[in-house]
Amino acid sequence: MGAALTIPFTDSGNEVRLWFTEYDEAIWKLVHKGKEHPRIKVRLPDSLKLYRPDELEDAVRGADYVVIAVSSAGVRPVSARIKGLVGGETTCMVVAKGLEEVEGRVFRMTEIVERYAGVKRVVYVSGPSLAAELAKKQPTFVVYSSADISLARSARKALETEYYRIFLSDDVVGAELSAALKNVYAIAYGIATGSSEKAGVPRENLKAAVISKSLEEMGNIIVRCGGKKDTVYGLSGIGDLYVTATGGRNSMFGRLLGSGLSLEEAVEEMKRRGVGVVEGYRNAKVIAKFLAEKRIGREEAPLLFSVYDVLYTGASVEKVFKALAK
Amino acid sequence: MGAALTIPFTDSGNEVRLWFTEYDEAIWKLVHKGKEHPRIKVRLPDSLKLYRPDELEDAVRGADYVVIAVSSAGVRPVSARIKGLVGGETTCMVVAKGLEEVEGRVFRMTEIVERYAGVKRVVYVSGPSLAAELAKKQPTFVVYSSADISLARSARKALETEYYRIFLSDDVVGAELSAALKNVYAIAYGIATGSSEKAGVPRENLKAAVISKSLEEMGNIIVRCGGKKDTVYGLSGIGDLYVTATGGRNSMFGRLLGSGLSLEEAVEEMKRRGVGVVEGYRNAKVIAKFLAEKRIGREEAPLLFSVYDVLYTGASVEKVFKALAK
């Protein structure tokens, strides 16, 4: 996603720098030689400045906007590394999705950036944006959220293009929780899809019920955590859930479970496909902990906890279908 | 859908009667001989009593529940025919979706039934339920709505099965408007799908934005008409929109428009496929009139009106994409 974002950010007239993590060395070698980026299948802009893993500090220094687009687990170490280099007029844009546990407590991504990078100007980026489509300049609509909406507005002014349209919101909690929760609900959708393939009969009615129930639970959880219900029903919620459920890896994993594979077999099969452990699997555990901290019980999110139980307590996928009738 | 419903209604232990309209003579002949119903591809229950077009009065007489599952245009004449035969303890269940203009004013389906059949006990049935899936007893979750929720509750008690689950709501306005509006929004989704095929590039981000914007507009319209926003975000709204957009005929029609066909060519192609004029096309016009009656302006539903303009004022499909940025 970081690489894909360099395309609209360049088109909107900015000097753009791209830093590669230590996991991206192989990609750096290709991009450095002017070759196609292997994940998003496009050549990156010629004007782009490339930075290797040990050059993070150079990449960040003097930037107006620092966009953190690493895995959720990477947000804390990256934030710690850029501390002191960002601040004052720099705005940190956070694209990472998920919740992370630090010293026994669960934090949202922007909380980690604020805490470990020591920045106050933070904007959260969410909404349905598959990187490969954005990189091909296909129409993409996202949301910039910030408690101080003028920050999000300034970022929009600097970064919007004809094909990358930005909406504004002050509901950071709603946007971040939607982004984290949707991965788990996408597994439920995948389970419904897989069960349909196993039965050899379309089950669109069931899949629609999963989406509907997912939104209901996401809305309730977010309101309990101080966010706004409308966020769940916008681009950050249903929009992102739609692309994740109908396309992503979380749903692929659920599909394997729904088609009859055991948890171990499904994990094995995902590895065989070169995908590894999906975010929703890891997230389900930290989300369960987060909900416990917020005193949100199982009865308030039966579908979410049914997926958790399939992943962590040996429950069968039937539990997911039963949760829909609650 | 009427035929499909006879299956859970029989399974829930009722004596079920099925009346065929004058358009269903060919189907009656097959079903009467014990053959498969050609639309939903199953044999109907042996215990089912069948009634021909001129036997409507016999079919209705003495029934506890009368389920009206005809086209929206058929609701008024059917209601008028059963007037006097229903009433007292009979509950009318309305499955028809859409709005209809009568003598210059636009009415919801339940209003027409109340007015022309002269009944007071009315329950509206909505939610994602593709008939062919329900007929095969695949898991289906629907909503029974009634201003007097005890009516909906009684109906659930009489009609629910393990695979046909019923939720209750008192928001008839929200359920009916969702059911009518979603056909038009499904055309917008189809246009996005068709544009993606034309471009030869996936446009899932765009399709997600259409769904998100559709829900936002549906929510605002329904609140303005006295319904509840939560209805749009449940089975009656997003649930039904999902199955209609990803599968139905309205979206097929939009797809043709999005892939570059003119309105006339798309209508022609639909006829060639044996589908004819889709509901969303007819509905868009009566919905526009309905919104004018409610003094809801174009700026409150730009996506809806962009579809209207493509269908009725010669606008290009680009207008639909522009509406998403509003």
Side-chain angles (χ1 to χ4, degrees):
Chain A
M1 179 52 78
L5 283 168
T6 65
I7 292 166
F9 292 171
T10 299
D11 281 346
S12 49
N14 299 282
E15 181 200 309
V16 183
R17 307 169 183 171
L18 180 63
W19 171 68
F20 294 80
T21 75
E22 42 272 48
Y23 304 108
D24 304 323
E25 284 274 15
I27 297 179
W28 178 84
K29 278 183 191 154
L30 292 169
V31 171
H32 185 66
K33 287 180 196 149
K35 297 207 171 136
E36 213 175 58
H37 189 293
R39 295 247 184 90
I40 54 177
K41 315 281 182 200
V42 295
R43 279 193 66 236
L44 297 182
D46 288 329
S47 63
L48 194 66
K49 296 192 177 166
L50 306 178
Y51 293 81
R52 304 190 55 175
D54 59 353
E55 300 172 324
L56 173 59
E57 293 71 14
D58 299 328
V60 164
R61 197 168 284 122
D64 297 322
Y65 295 93
V66 172
V67 182
I68 303 181
V70 295
S71 72
S72 58
V75 171
R76 186 180 160 201
V78 164
S79 294
R81 263 181 80 176
I82 63 174
K83 186 173 185 166
L85 297 169
V86 293
E89 292 307 297
T90 314
T91 297
C92 269
M93 317 269 298
V94 185
V95 183
K97 291 177 166 62
L99 300 171
E100 284 292 316
E101 191 177 333
V102 182
E103 292 158 15
R105 253 203 64 203
V106 179
F107 294 91
R108 290 181 280 108
M109 296 288 106
T110 60
E111 290 177 317
I112 289 182
V113 171
E114 285 165 8
R115 199 181 168 105
Y116 291 94
V119 289
K120 290 210 174 75
R121 297 165 64 97
V122 176
V123 172
Y124 192 68
V125 179
S126 61
S129 51
L130 298 176
E133 291 186 16
L134 178 57
K136 289 187 185 68
K137 305 190 183 186
Q138 295 305 304
T140 299
F141 301 77
V142 300
V143 180
Y144 284 10
S145 307
S146 185
D148 173 2
I149 208 159
S150 71
L151 285 180
R153 190 174 291 116
S154 301
R156 173 170 71 180
K157 206 174 164 193
L159 303 171
E160 192 169 56
T161 73
E162 193 59 40
Y163 58 86
Y164 179 69
R165 303 303 292 252
I166 299 159
F167 292 81
L168 306 179
S169 166
D170 62 2
D171 184 18
V172 181
V173 170
E176 287 208 68
L177 292 186
S178 290
L181 290 165
K182 65 107 183 14
N183 286 332
V184 182
Y185 289 109
I187 295 177
Y189 180 93
I191 288 173
T193 308
S195 85
S196 159
E197 290 160 356
K198 189 182 174 192
V201 192
R203 286 187 162 175
E204 294 303 310
N205 295 349
L206 177 66
K207 286 154 75 179
V210 169
I211 286 188
S212 162
K213 185 76 174 170
S214 300
L215 282 186
E216 182 197 323
E217 289 188 7
M218 284 167 71
N220 292 339
I221 290 170
I222 282 166
V223 168
R224 288 286 307 274
C225 296
K228 294 178 184 171
K229 218 168 195 179
D230 276 353
T231 301
V232 176
Y233 305 136
L235 290 163
S236 304
I238 178 63
D240 198 6
L241 175 63
Y242 169 82
V243 293
T244 309
T246 59
R249 297 161 173 200
N250 292 289
S251 131
M252 184 197 290
F253 179 60
R255 210 159 148 176
L256 296 172
L257 293 169
S259 70
L261 267 57
S262 71
L263 182 63
E264 294 68 28
E265 288 165 345
V267 168
E268 214 38 62
E269 175 61 21
M270 291 297 281
K271 274 190 201 148
R272 211 185 55 74
R273 295 184 186 183
V275 179
V277 175
V278 295
E279 285 193 70
Y281 190 173
R282 293 197 309 113
N283 284 358
K285 196 164 195 169
V286 64
I287 286 169
K289 190 172 160 57
F290 176 77
L291 296 181
E293 285 178 8
K294 301 282 179 189
R295 298 178 188 281
I296 296 173
R298 287 181 154 256
E299 68 289 355
E300 294 182 69
L303 182 58
L304 184 87
F305 278 101
S306 73
V307 175
Y308 175 86
D309 284 341
V310 169
L311 300 177
Y312 291 105
T313 74
S316 91
V317 294
E318 289 304 315
K319 187 156 190 178
V320 173
F321 306 131
K322 290 208 177 97
L324 295 173
K326 282 181 184 165
Chain B
M1 179 52 81
L5 283 169
T6 65
I7 293 165
F9 291 172
T10 299
D11 281 347
S12 48
N14 299 283
E15 181 201 309
V16 184
R17 307 170 183 170
L18 180 63
W19 172 69
F20 294 80
T21 75
E22 43 272 48
Y23 304 108
D24 304 324
E25 284 274 14
I27 298 178
W28 178 85
K29 277 182 192 157
L30 293 168
V31 172
H32 185 66
K33 288 181 195 148
K35 297 204 171 142
E36 214 175 58
H37 189 293
R39 295 250 183 88
I40 54 176
K41 315 280 183 202
V42 294
R43 279 192 67 235
L44 297 182
D46 288 327
S47 62
L48 195 65
K49 296 193 179 165
L50 306 179
Y51 293 82
R52 303 189 58 173
D54 60 352
E55 301 173 325
L56 173 59
E57 293 70 14
D58 299 328
V60 164
R61 197 168 284 123
D64 296 322
Y65 294 94
V66 172
V67 182
I68 302 181
V70 295
S71 72
S72 58
V75 171
R76 188 182 160 198
V78 165
S79 294
R81 262 182 82 175
I82 64 175
K83 186 171 185 169
L85 297 171
V86 293
E89 292 306 297
T90 315
T91 297
C92 268
M93 315 269 298
V94 186
V95 182
K97 291 177 166 62
L99 300 171
E100 283 293 316
E101 192 177 332
V102 182
E103 292 158 16
R105 253 202 65 202
V106 180
F107 294 91
R108 291 181 279 108
M109 296 289 105
T110 60
E111 290 176 318
I112 289 182
V113 171
E114 285 164 9
R115 200 182 168 102
Y116 291 93
V119 288
K120 291 210 173 76
R121 298 165 63 97
V122 177
V123 172
Y124 192 70
V125 179
S126 61
S129 51
L130 298 176
E133 291 187 14
L134 178 57
K136 288 187 185 66
K137 306 190 183 186
Q138 294 306 303
T140 298
F141 300 77
V142 300
V143 180
Y144 283 9
S145 307
S146 186
D148 173 2
I149 207 159
S150 71
L151 285 181
R153 190 174 291 115
S154 301
R156 173 170 72 180
K157 207 174 163 193
L159 303 172
E160 191 169 57
T161 73
E162 193 59 41
Y163 58 87
Y164 179 69
R165 303 304 291 254
I166 299 160
F167 291 82
L168 307 179
S169 166
D170 62 3
D171 184 19
V172 181
V173 170
E176 286 208 68
L177 292 185
S178 290
L181 290 165
K182 65 108 183 13
N183 285 332
V184 182
Y185 288 109
I187 295 178
Y189 180 93
I191 288 174
T193 308
S195 86
S196 159
E197 289 161 357
K198 189 182 173 193
V201 191
R203 285 187 162 175
E204 294 303 311
N205 294 349
L206 177 67
K207 287 155 73 179
V210 169
I211 287 188
S212 163
K213 185 76 174 170
S214 301
L215 282 185
E216 182 196 323
E217 289 188 6
M218 285 167 70
N220 292 339
I221 291 170
I222 282 166
V223 168
R224 287 286 307 275
C225 296
K228 294 177 183 171
K229 218 169 195 177
D230 276 354
T231 301
V232 175
Y233 305 135
L235 291 163
S236 303
I238 178 62
D240 198 5
L241 175 64
Y242 169 82
V243 293
T244 308
T246 58
R249 296 162 174 201
N250 292 288
S251 134
M252 185 197 288
F253 179 59
R255 210 160 147 176
L256 296 171
L257 294 168
S259 70
L261 266 57
S262 71
L263 182 64
E264 293 69 28
E265 289 166 342
V267 168
E268 216 34 64
E269 174 62 20
M270 291 297 282
K271 274 191 204 149
R272 211 185 55 75
R273 296 183 186 184
V275 179
V277 175
V278 296
E279 285 193 69
Y281 190 173
R282 292 196 310 112
N283 283 358
K285 196 163 196 170
V286 64
I287 286 169
K289 190 171 160 57
F290 176 78
L291 296 182
E293 284 178 8
K294 301 282 178 189
R295 299 179 188 279
I296 296 173
R298 288 183 153 253
E299 68 290 354
E300 294 182 70
L303 182 58
L304 184 87
F305 278 101
S306 73
V307 175
Y308 175 86
D309 285 342
V310 168
L311 300 177
Y312 290 106
T313 74
S316 90
V317 293
E318 290 303 315
K319 187 155 190 178
V320 173
F321 306 131
K322 291 208 177 98
L324 295 174
K326 281 180 184 166

